């Protein structure tokens, strides 16, 4: 049986990037994390950070140095979350919010990985996760 267990992000400093995503998501850094491997648990899945010597950041949206992946975070309101993630060290890259306040904004984390804050019309949060319209 195949199980999805980890999403691993290369970076130059595992603890620094884990601290960024810990603050971003409100989840603690996993016990036993260290300079070569750090993690944050989301149910059965771990968002992990792996130290890479000579790390080279993606240069989104430059196709010569592609993003490789990105993370989406659904939020209730974009503006307060934008202020919060920028305060944590993220950088706003591009805005795709419509006149009604729905859409997404692309940010990069402190080492250049892109992620989006998304606000989708009609999405409802439940204990089991998101319900899409």
């Amino acid at each position: 049986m195949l199980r999805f267990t980890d999403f691993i992000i290369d970076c130059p400093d595992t603890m620094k990037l884990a601290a960024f995503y810990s603050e971003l998501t409100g989840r603690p850094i996993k016990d036993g994390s260290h300079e070569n491997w750090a993690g944050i648990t989301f149910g059965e899945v771990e968002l992990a950070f792996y130290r890479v010597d000579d790390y080279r950041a993606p240069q989104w949206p430059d196709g010569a140095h592609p993003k490789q992946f990105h993370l989406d975070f659904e939020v209730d309101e974009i503006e307060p979350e934008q202020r919060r993630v920028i305060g944590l060290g993220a950088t706003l890259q591009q805005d795709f919010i419509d006149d009604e306040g729905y859409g997404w904004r692309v940010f990069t984390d402190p080492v250049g990985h892109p992620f989006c804050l998304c606000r989708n019309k009609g999405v409802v949060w439940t204990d089991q996760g998101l319900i899409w319209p």
Side-chain angles (χ1 to χ4, degrees):
M1 182 166 126
L2 182 130
R3 290 187 185 201
F4 179 56
T5 59
D6 298 280
F7 188 93
I8 303 164
I9 300 175
D10 292 350
C11 62
D13 185 328
T14 61
M15 295 306 290
K16 186 174 180 180
L17 196 57
F20 171 82
Y21 281 101
S22 175
E23 288 293 322
L24 183 79
T25 63
R27 295 188 178 262
I29 297 172
K30 186 176 174 180
D31 287 342
S33 293
H34 51 79
E35 67 181 24
N36 292 317
W37 181 275
I40 300 171
T41 303
F42 294 83
E44 295 180 2
V45 176
E46 182 175 324
L47 180 60
F49 309 94
Y50 178 72
R51 188 179 65 77
V52 173
D53 293 329
D54 300 321
Y55 170 78
R56 286 179 276 157
Q59 301 296 310
W60 186 90
D62 176 4
H65 300 91
K67 64 182 177 178
Q68 302 158 9
F69 75 89
H70 76 273
L71 302 172
D72 284 350
F73 297 97
E74 184 73 26
V75 298
D76 291 327
E77 295 293 331
I78 295 282
E79 297 302 328
E81 287 301 317
Q82 175 174 313
R83 287 190 296 275
R84 192 173 76 81
V85 301
I86 288 173
L88 293 172
T91 302
L92 176 64
Q93 298 295 336
Q94 203 160 17
D95 186 345
F96 296 97
I97 300 295
D98 67 19
D99 293 339
E100 296 179 16
Y102 296 99
W104 65 94
R105 288 192 179 139
V106 181
F107 298 83
T108 48
D109 68 23
V111 297
H113 300 113
F115 69 92
C116 297
L117 296 183
C118 306
R119 184 168 184 242
N120 291 291
K121 197 171 195 172
V123 168
V124 177
W125 288 89
T126 71
D127 290 340
Q128 290 75 41
L130 295 175
I131 298 175
W132 295 87

